[in-house]
Amino acid sequence: MAEADFDVLILGAGSGGYACALRAAQLGLSVGLVEKGNLGGTCLHVGCIPTKALLHAAEVADSARESEQFGVRASFDGIDMPGVNAYKDGVVSRLFKGLAGLIKSRGITVIEGEGRVTGPREVTVDGTTHTGRHLVLASGSYSKSLPGLEVDGERVLTSEHALRLERVPASVIVLGGGVIGCEFASVWRSFGAEVTIIEALPRLVAVEDEASSKALERAFRKRKIAFRTGTSFQSVTTTDDGVAVTVEGADGQQSVIEAELLLVAVGRGPSTASLGYEEIGVAMERGFVLADERCRTNVEGIFAVGDIVPGLQLAHRGFQQGIFVAEEIAGLDPQPIDELGIPRVTYSHPEIASVGLNEADAVETYGADGIESITYDLGGNGKSQILKTQGFVKLVRQKDGPVVGVHLVGDRVGELIGEAQLIYNWEAHAEDVAPLLHAHPTQNEALGEAHLALAGKPLHAHS
């Protein structure tokens, strides 16, 4: 093609887009970064960061409410939502300023406005056309709804609306028992709301190992978070006090649940409509951009990263894909990303974290006789006893082979997934991990104890 404005032109400055921009600039490439909103995208402004700030506020509320069990006399006087929101927004603001400064310091050209692909490696923003030797599609995702379910932002909300609430609702129905639904259910219950989760699949967080789902369900029952699995949404009407949701159970019986608000948490869809992708010949499926293991689309010189590519819709997946594409363009021949090696965390109370195959998928892959699993209960872990959290570390491995799945349940176990993903991605055997020392007393020890047990030499666990 003719002389381009940039070596790399990126449409979207969310996790995948800005990571690609930063790495490409670091490698000496000229970068144009197109963004209609704020740098950082969904994750920073209306996703990962603000929701986790709410979850931390919820943890503080629980700590205050339950302080007497630790011999600490504290009073819990309620939730000040304007104060919670000020704390949340402050976290986002500081990270946003830091990101904006980082991007500026790397010499990246930020092109503000709504971009549309108007030709091969060409994006038009507000009537001005920009070109790149390589084009990276990173337009992110949006909160989905269901056919016939109208989101009004007042009584029927998406997660974006939920993040802006200035009061704690008395009662909430959460439609969707996946990660987003369970996290908001956990927050609102800690804040004092009555919560009911409606999930069409047979269990909460159904993508996780069945043991993890069951553990979360037990914990939610104990917290008096109601949930109905195997239950499908039929309709919603507004009432004087809120909403009335009609649902249908697995037995075909319909019932009505009433609450002040309905949160629609049925997943996220790819933001690709009307952006010109199909017009230039990019292969699509159900709105997603199809890309190979090297993030290449079917059109020469065009890559795709993040939530628009089928697979896990996680910020850290977007980061890594963005870095990968920058290095691919620079000719560094990076190693493709193993999707199963991407850590997954649900930041509810308790948390769920995992990497690799769950037990059912491992059986399907290697056969029932080709795997073995072991579960180490956090009841034997000193730090977990101190924190008064319950859960487990479950390991799945090929028989006489490497660990192919790590599954954790308990408060703060998301912080353990770093070592777990190293174990999976480096194809470690239990015998490789067992000799490694884990500081005492830490929850991290639970990973070591589980591997000791799997290696046939359990310490603080029954053989």
Side-chain angles (χ1 to χ4, degrees), residues 199-404:
E199 172 55 55
L201 293 173
R203 51 190 173 91
L204 300 181
V205 285
V207 298
E208 295 292 345
D209 190 88
E210 186 172 357
S212 298
S213 291
K214 295 304 180 187
L216 183 67
E217 290 175 0
R218 285 194 299 272
F220 274 15
R221 285 192 195 98
K222 190 174 181 180
R223 296 182 62 197
K224 294 183 169 51
I225 296 174
F227 57 90
R228 298 192 188 185
T229 54
T231 302
S232 59
F233 168 85
Q234 297 298 306
S235 63
V236 59
T237 57
T238 56
T239 66
D240 292 341
D241 300 319
V243 294
V245 178
T246 301
V247 298
E248 184 176 298
D251 58 2
Q253 295 294 311
Q254 292 193 351
S255 57
V256 176
I257 310 170
E258 295 193 23
E260 184 180 334
L261 298 175
L262 170 64
L263 172 68
V264 182
V266 294
R268 299 188 64 82
S271 295
T272 56
S274 304
L275 293 180
Y277 296 176
E278 289 177 295
E279 286 83 343
I280 62 166
V282 172
M284 312 275 289
E285 186 176 285
R286 296 179 297 109
F288 288 95
V289 176
L290 300 181
D292 65 12
E293 65 173 5
R294 306 199 74 79
C295 298
R296 297 173 300 200
T297 70
N298 62 310
V299 178
E300 176 97 24
I302 300 181
F303 298 82
V305 300
D307 287 358
I308 63 172
V309 179
L312 294 169
Q313 291 178 309
L314 298 171
H316 44 283
R317 174 181 182 250
F319 290 145
Q320 197 61 30
Q321 287 180 331
I323 293 166
F324 176 93
V325 166
E327 294 182 351
E328 179 82 349
I329 289 170
L332 300 184
D333 193 28
Q335 183 176 337
I337 300 160
D338 176 4
E339 292 273 325
L340 282 173
I342 298 171
R344 309 172 290 270
V345 185
T346 302
Y347 296 88
S348 50
H349 168 43
E351 292 183 353
I352 295 177
S354 63
V355 65
L357 294 168
N358 61 41
E359 187 164 2
D361 289 340
V363 167
E364 190 175 324
T365 303
Y366 301 108
D369 296 332
I371 69 152
E372 56 184 324
S373 67
I374 197 165
T375 301
Y376 172 77
D377 195 302
L378 290 187
N381 176 256
K383 187 61 179 285
S384 295
Q385 285 290 324
I386 291 166
L387 294 172
K388 287 186 174 286
T389 187
Q390 297 177 334
F392 57 78
V393 175
K394 178 177 179 179
L395 304 178
V396 183
R397 76 163 171 186
Q398 279 183 263
K399 194 161 284 186
D400 300 321
V403 173
V404 296

Side-chain angles (χ1 to χ4, degrees), residues 20-44:
C20 183
L22 289 172
R23 182 63 176 134
Q26 192 176 52
L27 292 169
L29 302 171
S30 61
V31 182
L33 184 59
V34 179
E35 176 54 56
K36 65 180 179 180
N38 288 322
L39 297 172
T42 294
C43 171
L44 176 53

Side-chain angles (χ1 to χ4, degrees), residues 86-173:
Y87 152 68
K88 164 180 64 71
D89 295 343
V91 172
V92 172
S93 177
R94 288 188 294 275
L95 290 171
F96 171 60
K97 287 176 182 175
L99 176 61
L102 188 60
I103 286 175
K104 184 177 180 181
S105 72
R106 295 274 176 93
I108 295 164
T109 301
V110 177
I111 303 161
E112 297 180 358
E114 190 163 351
R116 187 175 188 277
V117 179
T118 50
R121 285 163 276 176
E122 178 182 286
V123 175
T124 298
V125 184
D126 296 332
T128 301
T129 297
H130 307 270
T131 58
R133 290 194 302 110
H134 305 88
L135 175 61
V136 181
L137 308 178
S139 45
S141 61
Y142 65 93
S143 293
K144 290 197 301 185
S145 185
L146 296 175
L149 176 52
E150 185 176 341
V151 174
D152 61 18
E154 295 181 3
R155 294 184 178 180
V156 182
L157 315 177
T158 65
S159 57
E160 286 90 340
H161 301 122
L163 286 168
R164 296 195 294 267
L165 281 180
E166 296 188 352
R167 71 188 191 287
V168 177
S171 56
V172 189
I173 298 167

Side-chain angles (χ1 to χ4, degrees), residues 444-460:
N444 196 237
E445 280 181 287
L447 270 174
E449 293 275 0
H451 284 84
L452 279 166
L454 191 57
K457 46 182 180 181
L459 186 60
H460 296 98

